[in-house]
Amino acid sequence: EQLSGRVYIPPCTSDSGLALGAATWVEYQEREQFCVHSPFLNAFDVPLTAPSLHAVDEIAELLVSGAVVGLCNGAAEVGPRALGHRSLVARADSKPLAQRISQQIKGREWYRPIAPVLCAEAASVVLGEAVTKSPLARYMLGAWPVKTDYQSQLAGVLHHDGTVRAQIVAQDDVENAFLHALLLRLGRLHGIPALINTSFNVRGQPILHRHEDALQAARVMGLDAVVIHGSLHRL
């Protein structure tokens, strides 16, 4: 009865989520309440302080120019997808950029879709208010229809049915403050409502973890730049 009507959406809807679910159940039995945990739980041997925001404007300008940028900030994500701490990002309005990231950089099949990330302010306009209230959107776990007037601005990530599998970053998401600030700048200063967001990993290897490995991985993948805990490194 205490749990009636309460649904918790984990960030890792895979086998790894079973272990977290078991740990959460033990926590509930001991405390008689559920705690909502961050998706950024891979915290061993990485900085836990918030990344600097001083380079956000420079990074935004680089993305506007068509660059592909790797993000390696703070602790890493759990689960099978990047949520802003270990991400490759680029303009979402460009099909050639999406193809470069998916096929050349990541070595994926041509038919596999790629997903976007939007700040809540842009998402409410482009996708509608409902998406900003959904717990699925925080973890890139739902597909949402794009309003017709904005489909060209998400051309690189748009499914054939006019939907996108979007991640939405809210202003109060403290652990994704860097990504929210970057998205907000891109929208307000450059009219870019979304970025491509896919995992920062060399093909055949797991998502990048250690900050000191980010530069080497970025060079191997042929990125244009990498952000390491808020610091921009051009390649």
Side-chain angles (χ1 to χ4, degrees):
E1 291 181 357
Q2 289 177 307
L3 302 180
S4 178
R6 300 174 69 185
V7 178
Y8 291 85
I9 309 296
C12 46
T13 52
S14 61
D15 288 349
S16 59
L18 297 174
L20 286 176
T24 300
W25 179 243
V26 171
E27 181 179 56
Y28 174 77
Q29 290 178 314
E30 291 181 350
R31 302 184 183 182
E32 296 187 352
Q33 64 178 1
F34 280 118
C35 296
V36 179
H37 294 290
S38 161
F40 306 110
L41 295 176
N42 290 335
F44 60 91
D45 200 27
V46 293
L48 298 181
T49 55
S52 169
L53 298 180
H54 79 277
V56 164
D57 286 323
E58 188 179 358
I59 297 164
E61 295 284 350
L62 196 58
L63 289 165
V64 169
S65 73
V68 178
V69 179
L71 303 181
C72 182
N73 289 326
E77 294 88 336
V78 297
R81 62 186 54 79
L83 295 171
H85 282 203
R86 300 293 186 278
S87 292
L88 302 184
V89 295
R91 294 180 62 141
D93 60 349
S94 170
K95 289 184 179 181
L97 265 179
Q99 291 169 349
R100 178 190 169 198
I101 291 174
S102 189
Q103 296 175 47
Q104 297 177 24
I105 293 176
K106 297 293 295 288
R108 302 165 83 232
E109 297 84 0
W110 65 268
Y111 54 81
R112 290 176 63 181
I114 203 160
V117 60
L118 302 85
C119 64
E121 292 84 348
S124 64
V125 176
V126 175
L127 305 177
E129 283 290 340
V131 69
T132 64
K133 299 182 172 94
S134 170
L136 291 171
R138 179 183 178 191
Y139 304 126
M140 199 189 283
L141 293 175
W144 312 94
V146 180
K147 295 180 181 179
T148 304
D149 291 346
Y150 295 97
Q151 290 190 0
S152 63
Q153 292 181 277
L154 280 82
V157 294
L158 195 69
H159 302 155
H160 284 296
D161 64 356
T163 65
V164 290
R165 182 169 64 93
Q167 177 195 2
I168 309 304
V169 182
Q171 185 175 8
D172 60 0
D173 186 351
V174 176
E175 291 188 295
N176 246 337
F178 178 93
L179 185 56
H180 182 269
L182 178 60
L183 291 164
L184 204 60
R185 298 282 210 291
L186 286 166
R188 290 180 176 176
L189 299 182
H190 304 286
I192 296 175
L195 290 174
I196 291 168
N197 178 19
T198 191
S199 58
F200 190 170
N201 65 293
V202 177
R203 184 181 182 184
Q205 297 184 16
I207 294 178
L208 184 76
H209 179 71
R210 292 160 57 91
H211 290 201
E212 51 263 45
D213 297 332
L215 270 174
Q216 177 60 23
R219 292 190 180 103
V220 169
M221 299 173 78
L223 305 185
D224 300 304
V226 62
V227 177
I228 303 175
H229 213 54
S231 176
L232 175 63
H233 303 263
R234 296 173 183 263
L235 301 172

